[in-house]
Amino acid sequence: MFTRAVSRLSRKRPPSDIHDGDGSSSSSHQGLKSTAKWATSLENLLEDPEGVKRFRMQEKAKEIYMTFLSNKASSQVNVEGQSRLSEKILEEPHPLMFQKLQDQIFNLMKYDSYSRFLKSDLFLKHKRTEEEEEDPPDAQTAAKRASRIYNT
C-alpha cells in the first residue's frame, strides 16, 4: 500500500518536478528545512528519502509497541518491568529503540523456550521422522529380501 502511494504520487508529476538532475528534491531549493517541507504536504514527505525513512520508522515502532509492548497489547511479550517502554519513546523513534528488549527476549528464548522446545513432542516427532528417512537402506534391504522370498 505504501509503495503504491509513492508510485501514484510520482505518476501525478513529471519526474523533472520531483527530482533535479543530481537526484535531489527540487523543493529543497526553496530553503525550507526538511521537517518544514514534510509538514506542508504528504507528497513532500514521500518525495524525501529521509522523510520516508522517518515516517515508516515511527509507523513501524508504534505497530511493534501496540502489538507486543503496551499494557493493552494483543500479543504482549514477557519482559521485566524496568525494561518496559512508555508510549513517549514513540515520539522520537530510532533504529536501536527496542534493542534492550530484543536482547532480553532473545536470552529468554535461548535459556528457557529453546530448551523446552528441544523436549517438546513437536521437535521429537520431527527428529524421529528425519531419522526414519535416513534409515531407508535397511528398509530397502528388508523389502528386497521379502521379494526374493516370495519370487523364488
Side-chain angles (χ1 to χ4, degrees):
M1 182 170 137
F2 181 74
T3 309
R4 277 188 279 158
V6 173
S7 65
R8 219 177 311 127
L9 288 171
S10 299
R11 280 185 265 138
K12 286 183 178 178
R13 296 181 182 171
S16 59
D17 287 351
I18 297 173
H19 297 285
D20 291 342
D22 65 354
S24 64
S25 174
S26 60
S27 57
S28 64
H29 297 300
Q30 297 172 358
L32 291 175
K33 289 185 177 180
S34 58
T35 54
K37 288 187 297 186
W38 302 343
T40 60
S41 72
L42 177 62
E43 289 85 357
N44 286 343
L45 173 74
L46 296 176
E47 288 171 2
D48 184 342
E50 185 66 22
V52 170
K53 184 172 121 184
R54 295 196 179 259
F55 180 73
R56 293 290 291 167
M57 187 184 304
Q58 185 156 22
E59 183 181 281
K60 196 65 175 169
K62 185 173 184 173
E63 180 184 332
I64 291 168
Y65 180 82
M66 297 308 287
T67 305
F68 301 107
L69 303 171
S70 128
N71 289 331
K72 299 173 185 171
S74 57
S75 300
Q76 193 175 46
V77 293
N78 179 21
V79 291
E80 295 173 9
Q82 67 216 33
S83 298
R84 287 224 169 266
L85 302 173
S86 71
E87 247 179 280
K88 189 172 184 165
I89 196 168
L90 298 174
E91 293 171 9
E92 293 186 39
H94 56 88
L96 300 176
M97 65 189 287
F98 298 122
Q99 189 63 50
K100 183 178 177 182
L101 291 168
Q102 183 176 341
D103 293 344
Q104 183 183 354
I105 291 167
F106 179 83
N107 283 328
L108 281 169
M109 291 173 63
K110 182 177 181 177
Y111 296 111
D112 182 42
S113 302
Y114 178 63
S115 61
R116 284 189 282 130
F117 171 72
L118 293 178
K119 297 173 189 170
S120 73
D121 289 339
L122 178 70
F123 174 79
L124 295 173
K125 182 177 178 181
H126 187 71
K127 183 179 174 189
R128 277 192 303 270
T129 302
E130 276 187 350
E131 288 170 350
E132 288 170 4
E133 288 174 358
E134 289 176 3
D135 293 341
D138 292 326
Q140 287 177 347
T141 307
K144 285 180 183 176
R145 271 185 284 177
S147 70
R148 274 190 241 130
I149 293 169
Y150 292 111
N151 288 336
T152 56

